[in-house]
Amino acid sequence: EFILDNWMIENKQAIGYLFSENPVEIQHGLRYFIGRGQGLTPSGDDFLVGLLSLEKGFSIVDNQFEIILETFVSSEKLTTDISEAYLQAALKGRFSTSINQLIDVLAGTKNKTALPDILTKIIQNGHTSGIDTLTGILVGLLIGTKDIKKGAN
């Protein structure tokens, strides 16, 4: 059984809200994930960083997503200081070298042979941060790019 399947089922409504065009739903989705989990950078925040990194190359969420997230992060105390700084950096399009390399591979501007090394470096980031960030990227690829393809037809 694929672990991500269970995770997506458990979080289906909140994930759907993140990909909505309705600002109230986007707010609900963001409030669900921001600060969710333990540690210096909670899993929900790392997940959002993953989505934001994919957004950089693929435009997978509504324009309001980043505006609402920026408002939450700058005006409310919803997560840790370290995680807040990571989210602020992600909102400005600043990511680790490994994340940038992965996005380049996914966009087709970097050779895929580097992929195993890139993924290994990301996975080794923090206790679960790398996996949580990759989960955000994967969910973005599964849901966000499907919506892009639908709109293109």
Side-chain angles (χ1 to χ4, degrees):
E1 189 173 345
F2 193 48
I3 294 170
L4 186 60
D5 288 342
N6 288 337
W7 185 87
M8 286 184 69
I9 289 167
E10 291 170 13
N11 298 285
K12 182 178 180 180
Q13 186 174 28
I15 292 168
Y17 286 160
L18 294 177
F19 292 93
S20 175
E21 294 177 1
N22 179 322
V24 173
E25 289 183 355
I26 295 169
Q27 288 176 21
H28 287 309
L30 288 171
R31 283 196 185 277
Y32 179 84
F33 283 104
I34 297 172
R36 188 173 201 83
Q38 308 261 326
L40 296 174
T41 60
S43 294
D45 298 341
D46 293 328
F47 172 81
L48 292 173
V49 168
L51 277 181
L52 287 166
S53 70
L54 194 63
E55 173 68 12
K56 170 185 159 187
F58 294 94
S59 190
I60 59 167
V61 293
D62 190 80
N63 295 342
Q64 298 172 89
F65 177 96
E66 291 184 55
I67 295 166
I68 295 166
L69 180 56
E70 169 65 37
T71 301
F72 284 167
V73 172
S74 63
S75 66
E76 298 183 37
K77 183 68 179 151
L78 301 174
T79 190
T80 66
D81 291 342
I82 292 172
S83 201
E84 191 175 294
Y86 279 136
L87 287 167
Q88 288 285 8
L91 283 162
K92 293 175 180 151
R94 289 190 244 141
F95 304 95
S96 69
T97 300
S98 299
I99 295 293
N100 286 326
Q101 290 173 339
L102 176 58
I103 299 306
D104 289 344
V105 168
L106 294 172
T109 59
K110 184 170 179 67
N111 191 318
K112 292 178 185 173
T113 58
L115 193 56
D117 289 337
I118 294 167
L119 292 173
T120 298
K121 286 178 186 170
I122 295 170
I123 289 168
Q124 291 172 344
N125 181 26
H127 184 67
T128 63
S129 289
I131 296 289
D132 297 332
T133 303
L134 285 174
T135 301
I137 293 170
L138 183 56
V139 168
L141 286 170
L142 292 173
I143 296 173
T145 57
K146 181 175 72 173
D147 291 342
I148 291 168
K149 288 177 186 168
K150 268 197 291 186
N153 291 336

